[in-house]
Amino acid sequence: MTVTELSLSGALVVGLSTQLSEIFAIRPVIPGTGEVELLAKLVRQGRGGAAIRLFYSDHDTMQALWEHIRDNLPRTDSCPYCGHPDDSREGSCDKCSLYLNFAKKNYLERHIENTFAQRLNIRLSRLNLEHIQKIIHFVDSKLLKIQHRSPDKEFVGTSPAMLSVFSMIRKVAPTEMSVLLLGESGTGKELTARSLHHLSTRRDGPFVAVNCAAIPETLLEAELFGYEKGAFTGAYVTKKGKFESADGGTLFLDEIGDLPASLQAKLLRFLEDRLVQPVGSAHSKKIDVRIVAATNCDLQRAIGQGHFRTDLFYRLNSFTIKLPPLRDRGDDKVRLARYFLEKFSRSENRPMEFSDGALDAIRSHAWPGNVRELENKVRRGFLMAPGKVIDPECMELDQVEDAATVPEPVFRPGASQKEYVIQVLEQNDYVIARAARQLNISRPSMYALIRRHGINRDNVK
């Protein structure tokens, strides 16, 4: 076999055997180095010879191959890759952007970096979703030495929507940008915030979570910003606020849409100057904290109604991640259900499994309470199953019947949360307790949904 043309990624050869496996090895002799072994794949066969693709070998072999190519490059006034006029050989080509400074000792490393995406793209057609996930996990855990994209196994998924979420988390986590998380209740907003913290440079600092809707308005300012001794009745000692507790780390503000107007102004001021003034103090403290906020309400609508500040929205909205509802995540529902069942089984040392009917019911259920509802249903099934198999009835899920006998569901994916809440209320004659039970939420949470969406039985048609 004779090599007539050679590059780092391929070659034209004559005399190649016709009895070849899909991937084969060639052993060319490089002057000054000797025989080397390269893995190759046949691309096409013609009268002028066979074109083969070369796969990268160890560093020493590739360096010897490159030095041989470099020493035999003809001097031209054009880029050897694309033919664009460029005789400077400094920096990168203006047209194809490939690195051209061949004299640099690190040229090979720079070239591999430049062409990595292109080389991977060539192979993508032969990769399935499982391969791609393994590649991402290998790069994260083995090469970059970071842990899996989420510290919690409940935050998993292979649906396109969740893969997009994981991709956004990896991109924004190492930055200092404020992040706004949007999604229905129970979609994993706090898990997302923890993942952002865990994959950031602040991972060794504290992660502090605050539910803005769970703390009375009269106490929220003191809880967030702290207070001095004697600042108000009951302030017997000086106490740090959540902002100061999160110094050097991440502060997660959940249900940011319920933050009172007065505290919205204080939060905006903090985002501008990074100073915190405790209640009752005349002095401010410089705090280094990253803000991750979350809400399940429509902030744009809240702005239009005058309930949320426009300037604060744009300061928090530096980077937005929208978490998909569980009903739009395909077989992630089953994957999560099996994870929860395995967790309960391990905890109680009681092996259990789902029946086929239970898996069908899990797939077909609308899951208005999302992952939180799924975990509760699986826990109930685990407790109520008489044997080792969980049926739909054990989880209080409707058994899936033949398509011809199943009525069209009232809820349609894609409907807004307000529309769905109204539908549930109408189905239950506006009896709050029954509607809350159907949604698998508490009555206070049901009332909060009604207030948030401005639902009134008199004006609902």
Side-chain angles (χ1 to χ4, degrees):
M1 185 193 75
T2 303
V3 178
T4 59
E5 294 183 21
L6 179 64
S7 74
L8 285 169
S9 59
L12 185 65
V13 300
V14 294
L16 190 67
S17 170
T18 56
Q19 302 297 319
L20 297 169
S21 57
E22 183 180 8
I23 304 296
F24 55 90
I26 63 171
R27 296 180 178 81
V29 176
I30 299 178
T33 299
E35 183 181 279
V36 297
E37 181 175 283
L38 297 166
L39 294 180
K41 178 185 177 182
L42 180 64
V43 176
R44 64 179 179 274
Q45 189 99 29
R47 293 182 179 179
I52 61 174
R53 179 178 298 139
L54 299 178
F55 296 95
Y56 271 31
S57 182
D58 61 276
H59 180 271
D60 291 343
T61 297
M62 295 309 298
Q63 186 65 34
L65 184 64
W66 159 241
E67 289 174 0
H68 174 71
I69 293 172
R70 180 195 60 195
D71 294 343
N72 289 276
L73 275 176
R75 182 67 187 179
T76 68
D77 294 334
S78 303
C79 170
Y81 293 109
C82 69
H84 181 68
D86 189 340
D87 61 355
S88 64
R89 293 294 186 269
E90 295 291 336
S92 301
C93 173
D94 294 335
K95 185 176 181 181
C96 68
S97 300
L98 291 179
Y99 189 49
L100 298 180
N101 199 335
F102 301 145
K104 287 285 188 180
K105 290 184 178 180
N106 69 339
Y107 174 81
L108 182 62
E109 287 80 1
R110 287 288 301 273
H111 177 76
I112 292 173
E113 290 175 4
N114 271 193
T115 59
F116 172 73
Q118 178 185 353
R119 292 174 181 278
L120 186 59
N121 193 53
I122 291 172
R123 295 159 175 81
L124 276 180
S125 61
R126 302 180 61 194
L127 299 177
N128 58 32
L129 185 58
E130 184 179 358
H131 292 148
I132 294 171
Q133 286 182 291
K134 286 180 179 178
I135 291 171
I136 292 172
H137 181 69
F138 175 78
V139 171
D140 283 353
S141 62
K142 302 298 184 183
L143 302 183
L144 299 182
K145 304 299 183 184
I146 61 178
Q147 291 190 15
H148 193 254
R149 58 179 63 91
S150 169
D152 197 312
K153 289 183 179 179
E154 295 175 31
F155 197 41
V156 298
T158 59
S159 63
M162 286 308 295
L163 291 179
S164 176
V165 168
F166 295 149
S167 174
M168 287 189 283
I169 290 173
R170 287 194 301 274
K171 288 176 181 177
V172 76
T175 74
E176 290 295 307
M177 296 175 70
S178 298
V179 180
L180 180 62
L181 306 177
L182 303 177
E184 296 177 9
S185 178
T187 50
K189 294 187 286 295
E190 183 168 346
L191 290 177
T192 306
R194 289 185 182 278
S195 292
L196 288 167
H197 173 74
H198 192 76
L199 297 177
S200 74
T201 56
R202 296 173 174 268
R203 66 179 67 89
D204 295 328
F207 175 87
V208 178
V210 181
N211 188 328
C212 299
I215 303 172
E217 184 176 342
T218 53
L219 301 177
L220 189 54
E221 181 178 5
E223 188 72 20
L224 289 175
F225 298 99
Y227 54 84
E228 293 292 316
K229 179 181 179 180
F232 51 82
T233 303
Y236 301 115
V237 294
T238 297
K239 182 180 177 182
K240 291 195 302 185
K242 298 298 185 181
F243 278 85
E244 191 173 353
S245 297
D247 194 17
T250 302
L251 178 63
F252 174 51
L253 298 175
D254 198 8
E255 302 297 350
I256 192 71
D258 293 326
L259 197 66
S262 59
L263 292 186
Q264 290 180 32
K266 290 200 71 170
L267 176 57
L268 178 64
R269 190 159 61 249
F270 170 79
L271 291 171
E272 291 172 347
D273 57 25
R274 299 288 164 172
L275 294 175
V276 166
Q277 185 174 347
V279 177
S281 174
H283 304 287
S284 298
K285 301 178 181 179
K286 190 77 172 179
I287 300 295
D288 173 29
V289 67
R290 182 188 192 179
I291 300 294
V292 177
T295 184
N296 60 11
C297 70
D298 186 346
L299 288 184
Q300 295 282 10
R301 181 180 176 183
I303 290 171
Q305 295 175 339
H307 298 155
F308 201 82
R309 296 180 61 116
T310 306
D311 45 5
L312 177 58
F313 172 75
Y314 287 115
R315 288 303 298 265
L316 292 172
N317 196 30
S318 300
F319 192 95
T320 301
I321 298 177
K322 187 169 184 179
L323 298 171
L326 186 57
R327 61 182 173 272
D328 293 341
R329 289 177 54 182
D331 256 8
D332 286 355
K333 291 177 279 190
V334 171
R335 190 171 291 105
L336 280 164
R338 283 177 167 149
Y339 162 72
F340 288 130
L341 181 58
E342 181 185 345
K343 182 173 74 170
F344 300 146
S345 297
R346 189 168 54 250
S347 173
E348 299 294 329
N349 193 25
R350 180 186 167 200
M352 299 281 285
E353 62 180 341
F354 293 111
S355 69
D356 290 342
L359 294 176
D360 289 339
I362 289 169
R363 291 187 182 97
S364 64
H365 189 62
W367 299 111
N370 292 293
V371 179
R372 192 177 297 119
E373 179 190 3
L374 175 63
E375 182 177 12
N376 290 337
K377 291 290 189 184
V378 174
R379 182 185 286 112
R380 188 184 194 286
F382 180 80
L383 293 174
M384 297 301 295
K388 293 187 176 182
V389 178
I390 298 176
D391 292 318
E393 297 80 9
C394 303
M395 296 184 288
E396 291 188 327
L397 293 179
D398 294 332
Q399 188 164 352
V400 179
E401 302 175 25
D402 293 337
T405 62
V406 177
E408 183 181 357
V410 175
F411 173 70
R412 296 175 178 85
S416 70
Q417 187 182 65
K418 178 180 179 179
E419 292 170 337
Y420 186 44
V421 172
I422 291 173
Q423 289 171 356
V424 172
L425 286 167
E426 289 176 344
Q427 290 170 22
N428 292 279
D429 296 322
Y430 279 79
V431 177
I432 302 301
R434 279 166 34 194
R437 207 157 40 239
Q438 182 173 332
L439 288 174
N440 198 42
I441 59 177
S442 65
R443 281 192 299 172
S445 296
M446 190 72 208
Y447 281 114
L449 277 174
I450 292 171
R451 286 195 303 271
R452 179 176 301 130
H453 294 298
I455 298 172
N456 186 316
R457 184 172 186 174
D458 296 332
N459 58 31
V460 173
K461 297 181 180 179

